[in-house]
DNA sequence: TGACATTAGTTTGAGACTCGTACTAAACAG
DNA sequence: CTGTTTAGTACGAGTCTCAAACTAATGTCA
């Protein structure tokens, strides 16, 4: 495994330079040499190729205190773009992000009754045509799906909300668009998005917990998604630490989701399930503002939520846990209890702080994360620029 | 980071050859070239250096069906040895393992009242002297400790059973022995040992769950320990999914350990806490064989154990979970319930099988894993042979 | 104003490495 | 004893990084 020839060296070092520009911002060649540990001459060669390729450009010289002023290099990366698609029951979103992190395209299309897959293919083809028209090279597309995804073969094993089962999305969509297509769980994508451009930028390890209809988690370690053996990691909706008496939609008792999922919350507070999860959660929030009993109920949800967060933290020891989805509008009522439970139950609490944060990216997180994922192979050196 | 020069290339490829020999067994040069993807000529050069260094040797030619017979290469690795130390309340163990995976030294010393640290230092010095006397080069030592270990600075943050708190073991012991010393959690080490030479050889991702006085887990991914941000991952003893009424030694209620830990099991079955955890567990096993009520109680423990295993499996999606420590003698009574709970609560269960296995290494696991850990940098290419 | 110090970036030659091809070595088959 | 087959080595070409020397651009200070 991992055969390494001398050209792979260049790829790795190029990726190292790109990562440094991405992660620590613009820098002169000399500064980059210091950051990466490479020789000045080597950085010069690598940067030369990147400038030729249009991925990096020199900004105006900034005179340092003394000596010849350096010319800082900026990731423009207009040429390399990753495409992310989020497939959901009622909408499909596309986001394209370039090497520099800029959003180059953003579309959302409603799905009216038909198969979301067809909408996704159409959107992907549209985006690909539009982007390549500008002379852009797409590194690939990643499709974020709410369900169990087997990464090894690009098959969606099960996506109950979409009604998909054993669907070879990567192969099918790859053929339809001519792009290398990967499939990924939506919570994983959102977690990556928060880690690259949201609430957990700069942290080594983080967990993203989203509440939409179900509960899903994404785990990020050193900028990469942790997938487990078959890509099913982070399927936390049905871990058995909810109220043992609560019946879950899956037929089991005591699932976490059955106590802290959207339906459970709506039922507990007595709000009807209208509109999107976020709209419903906002209705709950309004009710809690008016009704102390409802606020207290939410605090109870927060306790159970905190127990689950503490459980994940004990197993994974992340720097931060990010709450997303419908947890965000309810945060004022949930967060105090969550923080309390975390402090009570996380073994490492006195020695390593665990931040509980709120998602900053909102609904766009999954698609943006999918686009970032489509770009990662460039930053890891797996693909040549 | 990751500055890569042309010599690092050789290190990586050498490590690749070593890993192949380790993982897939002896092979001829041509076979190695096929396995690693390197050119035959390159493998020839690398193997030449390894043979010169005494790390690899040619075994007798085995004639293939036709043509010139190949000379299979075997990891002898007599020259490079990793040292592992397991520090416990009443004993300290040392195990030394060479590149070929052979155990080169094994010692256990009882601790009678004194500080286990002093015993460990003495044992390490003894082992180092003995091994270097034979012309062996020690790559380093890893100390396995039952407690929270901060890997970044080699400090044992807290080891309640040892009475250690904020102790800079790596620095101190490194000075005393002249070796590079690392510190690691004992469950992590045992998990690594099972993955390299025990129940989970060949699996990509595994979780090891040990019961001694407390409950601890180790997570292995692609042959490496998953540590989380500060090395506190796998501290599962106090995740809140035990009986909510059960009081834990830590002062909290509902900790998992308070329901499935050794003391809880002994109390539930009515056996006194005599001897080592394993001896006590064997007493429990005898009791259960005679008393159906006790067996039923154990089944209840198995249910809670299974809930925890399912929780970890949902978060991490491993290939297998290994039960060690006192769970092994009680397996006949626990395992059926554990397997049932896993099948009931693991979301991925229909799509990816999760094995529940028993530890095969027993008490020696932690020290052996520590020794393996001390060797890993050779196999990852971080250290030159 | 001009020599000097200082820092940025490039040129150049050496050294390390892998690769493909051609070549030698060692067995068996008929 | 010749041909076939497979294992392993020698060799030259190509790629890459590196250190040191060198050029470029600016501020400093007499």
């Amino acid at each position: 495994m991992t055969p390494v020839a001398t050209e792979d060296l260049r790829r790795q070092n190029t990726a190292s330079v790109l990562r440094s520009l991405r992660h620590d911002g613009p820098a002169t060649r000399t500064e980059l040499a210091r950051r990466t540990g490479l020789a000045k001459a080597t950085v010069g060669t690598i940067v030369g190729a990147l400038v030729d390729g249009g991925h990096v450009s020199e900004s105006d010289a900034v005179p340092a205190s003394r000596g010849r002023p350096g010319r800082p290099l900026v990731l423009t990366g207009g040429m390399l773009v990753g495409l992310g698609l989020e497939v959901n029951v009622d909408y499909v979103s596309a986001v394209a992000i370039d090497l520099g992190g800029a959003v180059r395209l953003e579309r959302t299309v409603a799905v009216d009754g038909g198969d979301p897959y067809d909408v996704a293919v159409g959107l992907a083809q549209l985006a690909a045509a539009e982007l390549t028209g500008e002379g852009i090279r797409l590194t690939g597309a990643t499709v974020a799906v709410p369900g169990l995804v087997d990464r090894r073969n690009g098959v969606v094993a099960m996506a109950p909300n979409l009604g998909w089962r054993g669907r070879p999305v990567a192969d099918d969509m790859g053929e339809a668009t001519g792009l290398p297509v990967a499939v990924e769980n939506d919570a994983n994508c959102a977690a990556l998005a928060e880690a690259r451009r949201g609430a957990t930028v700069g942290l080594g390890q983080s967990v993203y917990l989203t509440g939409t209809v179900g509960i899903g988690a994404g785990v990020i370690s050193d900028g990469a998604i942790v997938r487990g053996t078959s890509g099913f990691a982070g399927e936390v909706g049905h871990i058995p630490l909810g109220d043992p008496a609560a019946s879950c939609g899956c037929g089991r008792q005591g699932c976490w989701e059955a106590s802290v999922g959207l339906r459970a919350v709506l039922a507990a507070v007595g709000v009807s399930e209208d509109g999107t999860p976020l709209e419903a959660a906002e209705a709950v929030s309004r009710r809690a503002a008016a009704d102390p009993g409802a606020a207290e109920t939410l605090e109870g949800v927060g306790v159970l939520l905190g127990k689950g967060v503490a459980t994940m933290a004990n197993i994974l020891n992340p720097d931060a846990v990010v709450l997303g989805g419908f947890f965000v509008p309810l945060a004022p009522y949930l967060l105090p209890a969550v923080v309390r439970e975390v402090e009570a139950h996380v073994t490492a609490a006195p020695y390593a702080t665990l931040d509980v944060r709120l998602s900053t990216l909102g609904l766009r997180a999954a698609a943006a994360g999918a686009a970032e994922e489509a770009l990662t192979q460039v930053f890891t050196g797996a693909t040549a620029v």
Side-chain angles (χ1 to χ4, degrees), chain A residues 42 55 86 189 214 217 246 262 282 284 293 357 381:
Chain A
T42 309
H55 309 302
E86 180 189 359
C189 287
L262 181 60
E282 265 150 24
V284 170
R357 305 182 181 182

Side-chain angles (χ1 to χ4, degrees), chain A residues 334-367:
Chain A
L334 299 173
L335 218 48
V338 171
V339 170
R340 217 180 321 123
E341 291 297 310
V342 162
E343 271 165 22
H345 290 291
V346 173
T347 307
Y351 313 100
T353 56
L354 171 70
D355 267 14
V356 180
R357 305 182 181 182
L358 292 178
S359 164
T360 59
L361 296 176
L363 283 181
R364 216 154 300 123

Side-chain angles (χ1 to χ4, degrees), chain A residues 12-22 24 27-44 46-47:
Chain A
Q12 277 186 246
N13 288 334
T14 302
S16 175
V17 167
L18 288 173
R19 276 199 306 274
S20 177
L21 286 174
R22 171 87 196 243
D24 298 321
T28 64
R29 291 167 176 77
T30 305
E31 169 72 7
L32 277 175
R34 211 186 44 70
R35 285 192 199 166
T36 59
L38 296 168
K40 270 200 307 178
T42 309
V43 171
I46 289 174
V47 164

